[in-house]
Amino acid sequence: MKTRALRGPETGFTLIEALVVMVILLILMLIAAPPLFTMMRQGKLRGTAYETATLMRLARMDAIKHSGQGIVEFVAAAPDQMAMVRAFSDRNSNNVWEDGEPLIGRHELPNGVEGRSPADGDVVSGFARSGGRAVFRGNGAAADTGAIRFADLRENYLEVRVMSAAGRIEVRKCRTCASEDLDDWFAQGEGWTWEWK
């Protein structure tokens, strides 16, 4: 008489079980992906704006420390470089970054973020007296008021604005983004919650 060896329960997954798990994971990815991509896009835009605000504050502090000028400027993309925001210590006060002058910092714009204003306006709004740059003097004052603006691919706009001659800096977002109207821009918590497209 033949005896069969006793075997324990078989382990592993059946093909049906594996397919069910794959379908559930696919459904979860389809639900989670759009909000995740939106958060990543917002993070890039916010990060660029807050990094620019930080560069402005550092340039202001450098100007005070060295009794000179600290400058922040938007540098458009070129064949050999990406668009960026650059801050430097203008030791000879000629409003131009030259060899030998310390670079305070720079921030290259990430993919999906560009320097742009609503209604195809300029990247820089204001700063007319300072040649389109944020210039901070040795006493901490700003030479002029103005903003550097950024946009994402969904037409969300943020600006980093030098609000006053005292050098106050704010990150602001536009509400309707239909024109260059300064009353359309608000800081976070300033009577309007930022809404994103």
Side-chain angles (χ1 to χ4, degrees), residues 79-158:
D80 59 338
Q81 71 182 21
M82 297 176 66
M84 73 173 107
V85 178
R86 175 173 60 201
F88 62 94
S89 182
D90 187 19
R91 299 289 168 88
N92 60 7
S93 299
N94 67 349
N95 292 347
V96 177
W97 185 47
E98 297 174 337
D99 289 336
E101 291 182 326
L103 180 67
I104 296 169
R106 69 182 202 163
H107 177 74
E108 292 181 349
L109 273 58
N111 289 334
V113 175
E114 53 189 27
R116 186 163 43 97
S117 286
D120 294 326
D122 292 332
V123 175
V124 177
S125 172
F127 298 130
R129 290 191 306 258
S130 54
R133 298 171 176 86
V135 177
F136 299 96
R137 301 228 165 91
N139 61 1
D144 199 1
T145 60
I148 300 175
R149 293 180 173 167
F150 306 99
D152 66 11
L153 301 176
R154 293 269 179 113
E155 303 298 316
N156 291 299
Y157 295 91
L158 289 179

Side-chain angles (χ1 to χ4, degrees), residues 44 55 91 106 117 164 184:
K44 287 180 181 181
L55 288 173
R91 299 289 168 88
R106 69 182 202 163
S117 286
S164 66
D184 187 37

Side-chain angles (χ1 to χ4, degrees), residues 118 174-179 184 192 197:
C174 65
R175 183 183 302 192
T176 60
C177 305
S179 68
D184 187 37
W192 174 65
K197 299 176 191 173

Side-chain angles (χ1 to χ4, degrees), residues 19-131:
L19 288 175
V20 168
V21 169
M22 298 270 290
V23 167
I24 291 171
L25 288 174
L26 181 64
I27 290 170
L28 288 174
M29 283 177 42
L30 290 173
I31 292 170
L36 180 65
F37 290 135
T38 300
M39 283 180 26
M40 288 172 40
R41 189 173 28 81
Q42 288 177 14
K44 287 180 181 181
L45 186 59
R46 283 180 192 241
T48 298
Y50 286 116
E51 184 67 25
T52 301
T54 299
L55 288 173
M56 286 186 180
R57 290 181 181 103
L58 289 171
R60 183 172 181 261
M61 295 307 296
D62 184 81
I64 293 169
K65 181 179 178 180
H66 296 288
S67 298
Q69 283 192 159
I71 295 181
V72 178
E73 61 185 358
F74 179 81
V75 180
D80 59 338
Q81 71 182 21
M82 297 176 66
M84 73 173 107
V85 178
R86 175 173 60 201
F88 62 94
S89 182
D90 187 19
R91 299 289 168 88
N92 60 7
S93 299
N94 67 349
N95 292 347
V96 177
W97 185 47
E98 297 174 337
D99 289 336
E101 291 182 326
L103 180 67
I104 296 169
R106 69 182 202 163
H107 177 74
E108 292 181 349
L109 273 58
N111 289 334
V113 175
E114 53 189 27
R116 186 163 43 97
S117 286
D120 294 326
D122 292 332
V123 175
V124 177
S125 172
F127 298 130
R129 290 191 306 258
S130 54

